[in-house]
Amino acid sequence: MGSEDSFNRGDGGDAGRGLRLHASNPSKVLRARARGTCSWCGNIVEWFDRFDGGRIPLTPMPFPSHRVPRRHQWSVDRGMAHSGTVGDQCRIPHPAICPALEHIGQEPELARMTQVLGVNTRKLIDSGRFVPPSEVPDDEDEVEQPEPENAAADGNIRHVLSHGSVLKICPGRIEDLQCVADAEGTGRRCENPVFDASEGGWTQVDIPPAAGRNGKAILLTYRGRMWAWEIQPLDYMDALRWLWQKCPVHQNAPEAHDRELIDFSTARHAPFILAERPRGYEPVRETGESGGGAPQFSEAERTQCAADGCWNGTIVPVGEGWLCWQCAKRARTRETVRRKWQKNPQPVRRLPRAPIPEQQAAEELSDATALFVHDASPTESLIDDGFTAWDENTPF
């Protein structure tokens, strides 16, 4: 049974009837908890797991595909949201029509929907059912990934979780990240942590580039690098356990609470970037064991690409002047072109110019002079005579 039809109803409709998620279902989100309201405009949205591991809020009802721009068409299959459409209907991401955002150059088809949602937001505010936040979102990513309620509750510390190219930011410290499943028998949220020191370590990762002058200033301040907890799971399911915020006991259990891991944004989360490695954790794991099987740890040294403006690097031992594969490809192309021109230099071809006879050259020169020499007008003559008389009568 798919996740869209598998949940324990709490509205009394199917009292006493227990439904469960199928073990093969790719999404573990209960549909009863997936419907909520946008924290920026108050309109109803439905949350779905994306095919790339993230989450996205979609409209609660589908729309005809021919009336929605192609880049805003999303479809749902077994609780997973995919970009594009399969049939003649599709769903629209809520950030594309959220009235709390300023949509510059919005398509006419979506502008009407945004206007309708804006009117509904005004009605919710007037009736007291929705209190808008004091600030407005900066972009669609902030609407798609709202900050959790307990963000930075324990001081100004929020650790970043890294897995490959995926960067997630925690609401607080990495060891305080709590499981989102319900404990068996109690019906309350599981108190087990997601953190497992044996499945990762602190390492330096590249800071994602951000647009604008502020984004460049952040990269220059931290030299494009920050410290993050990189998970090193044994298999893909263990990686999903971290990204889906589950403890080892409830790895395949349905989600009973909202996830608090959101995508890291350089502009929004700049105050939480770590320039120094946190203390009190296990360092980066090193190959080799000693002392009765106890693993040895050390920090991996990273070599940055020697090309100007390139932030790529490697932890593999390389020589001085090492270039990443992108810069090395550009260097080979330039060297090939340079050698080609050195081997077969191509002379600069100039178009022959026919000699100009002396009489024709003299006529062209007189025509050019005539553009600047002309007969004086009566007014100019009076002015010139006045200046001449003034010069003759002026004593020195």
Side-chain angles (χ1 to χ4, degrees), residues 179 202 224 262 328:
C179 178
W202 288 104
I262 63 174

Side-chain angles (χ1 to χ4, degrees), residues 248-269:
V249 178
H250 300 113
Q251 182 169 352
N252 296 321
E255 296 182 10
H257 303 273
D258 296 334
R259 295 182 199 169
E260 298 158 345
L261 280 175
I262 63 174
D263 294 338
F264 175 81
S265 173
T266 302
R268 291 167 52 191
H269 304 131

